[in-house]
Amino acid sequence: MNNRAGAILWNLRQFSTLVPTSRTIRLYPLGFSRSKVVYSNWNPRNLLLSDFGNGVQSSVRHLFQDALIFKSGDNFQTKGVGTETVLTVDGPLCPRRLSFDSKHSLDPDNALKKAAFHHKASSEDVLTKETKPTPVNNKKLSEECSSLSDVLDKFSERPTFPSSNYFSAMWIIAKRMSDDQKRVEKQLMVNHPAFNQLCEQMMRESKIMHYDHLLFSLHAMVKLGIPQNTLLVQTLLRVVQERINECDEKCLSVLSAILEAMEPCKNVDVLRAGLRILADQRVWKIKRVFTLQALIRCVGKDAPIALKRKLEMKALRELDRFSDLNSQHMFEALAAMNHRSVVLLDECSKMVIGNIHGCPFKVLINILQSCRDLRYHNLDLFKGIADYVATTIDIWKLKQVIFLLILFENLGFRHTDLMDVFMKKVIADPASLNMKSIISILHVYSSLNHFYKCQTSEFQEVMANSLTGYLHNISSENLLNAVCSFCLMNHFPMALINPLLQKDVIKELLIPGDESNAHKLRILAACLKLDVPCHKAIDFDLPPRSSTTLYQNVKVADALSSLLGEGYFSKDIQLPHNYHIDFEVRMDINRSQVLPFSDAVTSADTQRVAVLCVPRSTYCLDLAHPRGFLAMKLRHLKIMGFHIILVHNWEVERLEKKDVITFLKTKLYSTEAFLTADVNLQSTC
């Protein structure tokens, strides 16, 4: 008895403090006014309704302010509609909610009131049974409707809770449409008279619907192209922030997909920060690899390194459960997080190579793009992809192969079989090439310095003739790019070069602050001077080359000083045509004796030796084949009378000083010391 009295007194205190006023309202299923139809299928799973008239609160701390509280107990009738007293709370919710069950009754005559309430509800059930709507299902709705407007028509006829199903159904329908049809349907959707009503209802329901429904509807809105800066999207973002602790593993996947598809803004950034906290707390509990990869893609490149490593360790633990699809998508996920895990990438590479046949083109592209972004160079992976494309080249479109070749060029990877097969294909059908394709192909083949036996000349002629047909509508910059590629390949089609020699064209190309075009014009000028001696010299009047910080070859300089002595070599030599060499040594014609620089006389009996210290980037990925610019420089230095010794920076860094001296001595005095890479130059083809 004392417990019952205490409970009554506690409830009375709660009413006196929390309820300054009371009002009587009629409970409608969607939480807003309607005039006639009363639905009785209200689900009291979560009866925390917001006072929608006040709008979305400005802070997470005010989430529960101005809320309407409905507490379901033994006396709450879920079927039918009656009149109830609703409590308006002006402050944060009390941790202990009011209870109206049999143990804490406020009224000794509660049983009589309960019976009266049941009688009233039963009488209204008869009236509402005929107007009770069928619960809507997004899959069923998407099957019944053929357009986005059909879904909105269904909503306008008889809206049901939750509104998220209508947005989800519209996105399911939109995925089945072509791009043109999708664009038209989206415009019709926005102009539909029921669309604004659906958006308003969605905002009102956002705090009471299931959290996964809220996320699915927001995902559908983003995919449907509803602008991110609209009140609807920003409101839902705020509500998702406030309810983020309701996230389960499924919701984490959906939320990750939403944030990945959205542009940065204040609400998106805050939500991403919240997701990072959740990921850090729950990473070891994640069961699905798909969810883990979605999180890795979403946390962002600026995520804390500790979180990145934790996600990496979780992925390594799950390697045994990786499917072929998981291994393929791991590259893109790590690139999105900007985290290069060599161990994880190596294992995924093995799985990709083992299941390369039938791999979609888009997946291959994503893998190569991710390797480029992560600076991950796996020759076995690249060779496996290139071998697969080369053997199945007939099933690929021309654009697809060109795109792959461009990515291989970005990675510095030269696959001779694929490039040879594609060269034959181009020679056999040049009419299939457009202007953009021609320029891209020229760039790839010139950059990788690739030639194919005696078909190289035929290939160059075919490409030049094909591009000549586009002279009437090609821009000066694109023409310069193509001509520069021809120069690297030691081919000079004058029909394409002559338009670039006009003074007005050169003036147009020399954009202030843009060094790229000036550099290409210098290449053209050097080639016309050295490779085409019969061509009339033209003064390009190019701006001076900007100074660059030179690599300090201290170890090589010390080795030459110990080997030859001071005064027998020179360093940092600037040559005509904007060429630079690291060291120059002068020897007799038999290369048996080094001559001092103090003589300062060059004659037919003097041999000039250029020592070039070259980085990895000047070679293809296998470090055995020079790329286009280095090959052209070697060709021009040879024309200028030099013998060349190539010193690889990455190898010298690993050697002791005595080993560097031995290497240079062998190269300087041996008859095989000079330009062993000459077989790779274009002039020998």
Side-chain angles (χ1 to χ4, degrees), residues 30 32 34 52 155 159-163 166 196-206 209:
L30 296 180
F32 52 89
R34 291 183 66 84
F52 298 110
F155 168 77
T160 57
F161 179 86
S163 303
Y166 295 100
N196 286 339
Q197 182 184 355
L198 176 60
C199 294
E200 292 173 2
Q201 182 165 321
M202 184 66 215
M203 286 190 288
R204 286 193 292 265
E205 294 177 4
S206 60
M209 66 173 56

Side-chain angles (χ1 to χ4, degrees), residues 73-121:
D74 294 338
N75 300 333
F76 191 87
Q77 186 72 18
T78 59
K79 291 185 179 181
V81 180
T83 303
E84 288 291 325
T85 301
V86 181
L87 311 177
T88 303
V89 181
D90 295 327
L93 289 180
C94 180
R96 183 176 178 182
R97 295 184 182 179
L98 299 181
S99 177
F100 295 97
D101 60 16
S102 58
K103 294 182 181 180
H104 302 93
S105 176
L106 296 178
D107 192 346
D109 299 328
N110 183 60
L112 294 176
K113 292 185 177 181
K114 179 178 179 180
F117 179 78
H118 275 271
H119 175 74
K120 182 176 181 180

Side-chain angles (χ1 to χ4, degrees), residues 545-582:
R545 185 179 182 181
S546 57
S547 59
T548 56
T549 303
L550 300 176
Y551 179 79
Q552 298 297 322
N553 305 285
V554 178
K555 191 175 287 188
V556 178
D558 291 344
L560 286 173
S561 180
S562 300
L563 178 63
L564 306 177
E566 295 295 337
Y568 283 86
F569 69 95
S570 180
K571 59 183 179 180
D572 294 336
I573 311 300
Q574 190 66 39
L575 300 175
H577 312 295
N578 293 284
Y579 282 126
H580 168 270
I581 58 177
D582 299 282

Side-chain angles (χ1 to χ4, degrees), residues 72 164 348:
S72 60
S164 59
C348 291

Side-chain angles (χ1 to χ4, degrees), residues 376-396:
Y376 172 71
H377 299 147
N378 187 322
L379 282 173
D380 293 333
L381 174 63
F382 299 160
K383 186 177 184 300
I385 295 175
D387 286 341
Y388 169 60
V389 176
T391 54
T392 59
I393 195 167
D394 291 333
I395 69 173
W396 301 93

Side-chain angles (χ1 to χ4, degrees), residues 68 344 354 477 519 661:
L68 300 178
L344 186 55
E477 190 165 357
H519 174 66
I661 293 174

Side-chain angles (χ1 to χ4, degrees), residues 246-517:
E246 300 176 36
C247 255
D248 56 13
E249 186 170 328
K250 179 181 178 182
C251 292
L252 280 176
S253 296
V254 181
L255 181 55
S256 299
I258 291 171
L259 294 177
E260 188 180 1
M262 299 190 77
E263 296 294 329
C265 70
K266 185 176 180 180
N267 281 325
V268 170
D269 294 341
V270 171
L271 194 53
R272 193 185 301 275
L275 183 67
R276 288 175 182 173
I277 296 174
L278 282 183
D280 187 67
Q281 294 173 348
R282 304 182 185 180
V283 60
W284 306 117
K285 299 179 181 178
I286 295 175
K287 298 179 180 179
R288 299 173 64 238
V289 177
F290 176 82
T291 303
L292 177 63
Q293 290 182 329
L295 271 178
I296 292 175
R297 281 195 301 269
C298 181
V299 294
K301 297 182 178 181
D302 56 342
I305 188 64
L307 176 58
K308 292 181 179 181
R309 289 175 178 168
K310 189 178 288 189
L311 291 169
E312 175 192 357
M313 292 301 299
K314 175 64 175 178
L316 288 172
R317 288 187 181 186
E318 301 293 332
L319 267 176
D320 294 340
R321 298 176 52 226
F322 270 30
S323 64
D324 294 339
L325 198 60
N326 293 143
S327 61
Q328 293 165 1
H329 289 175
M330 200 69 236
F331 292 86
E332 186 180 3
L334 289 173
M337 191 172 65
N338 192 27
H339 184 69
R340 182 175 59 181
S341 171
V342 177
V343 178
L344 186 55
L345 290 170
D346 285 345
E347 293 300 320
C348 291
S349 296
K350 295 176 184 177
M351 297 182 68
V352 170
I353 295 170
N355 300 276
I356 192 68
H357 292 283
C359 192
F361 170 76
K362 185 177 180 181
V363 173
L364 295 178
I365 292 298
N366 288 338
I367 290 174
L368 293 177
Q369 287 176 331
S370 301
C371 290
R372 177 196 61 194
D373 296 340
L374 292 171
R375 300 175 303 282
Y376 172 71
H377 299 147
N378 187 322
L379 282 173
D380 293 333
L381 174 63
F382 299 160
K383 186 177 184 300
I385 295 175
D387 286 341
Y388 169 60
V389 176
T391 54
T392 59
I393 195 167
D394 291 333
I395 69 173
W396 301 93
K397 296 179 181 178
L398 189 68
K399 289 182 179 179
Q400 293 176 328
V401 181
I402 293 174
F403 201 3
L404 283 169
L405 288 174
I406 291 173
L407 287 174
F408 281 139
E409 186 274 331
N410 292 339
L411 292 163
F413 178 68
R414 171 178 170 263
H415 190 272
T416 55
D417 292 342
L418 176 59
M419 298 186 76
D420 290 346
V421 170
F422 185 72
M423 185 182 289
K424 292 180 181 179
K425 202 175 182 67
V426 168
I427 294 174
D429 186 20
S432 60
L433 302 175
N434 57 30
M435 181 181 67
K436 186 176 180 181
S437 299
I438 295 171
I439 296 173
S440 299
I441 294 170
L442 288 172
H443 171 72
V444 170
Y445 279 77
S446 63
S447 175
L448 296 176
N449 187 31
H450 181 77
F451 301 92
Y452 178 56
K453 300 178 182 178
C454 295
Q455 286 195 341
T456 298
S457 299
E458 185 179 0
F459 169 73
Q460 293 170 345
E461 289 295 336
V462 166
M463 299 300 288
N465 293 335
S466 299
L467 191 60
T468 303
Y470 292 99
L471 273 178
H472 61 283
N473 59 355
I474 190 173
S475 67
S476 300
E477 190 165 357
N478 283 336
L479 182 59
L480 178 61
N481 292 334
V483 167
C484 185
S485 298
F486 278 120
C487 289
L488 294 180
M489 293 191 292
N490 198 18
H491 185 71
F492 306 98
M494 298 310 299
L496 299 174
I497 294 175
N498 287 330
L500 290 174
L501 304 181
Q502 308 299 322
K503 290 185 178 180
D504 56 337
V505 175
I506 295 175
K507 184 178 180 180
E508 176 188 347
L509 290 170
L510 293 176
I511 303 173
D514 186 3
E515 180 65 20
S516 176
N517 288 343

Side-chain angles (χ1 to χ4, degrees), residues 213-247:
H213 288 177
L214 175 62
L215 291 177
F216 279 124
S217 61
L218 180 56
H219 181 263
M221 292 174 196
V222 173
K223 292 297 184 180
L224 286 170
I226 296 177
Q228 185 173 319
N229 60 350
T230 56
L231 177 62
L232 172 65
V233 175
Q234 293 298 318
T235 299
L236 296 191
L237 284 173
R238 291 302 302 270
V239 177
V240 170
Q241 293 173 30
E242 296 165 357
R243 299 177 58 186
I244 194 170
N245 285 330
E246 300 176 36
C247 255

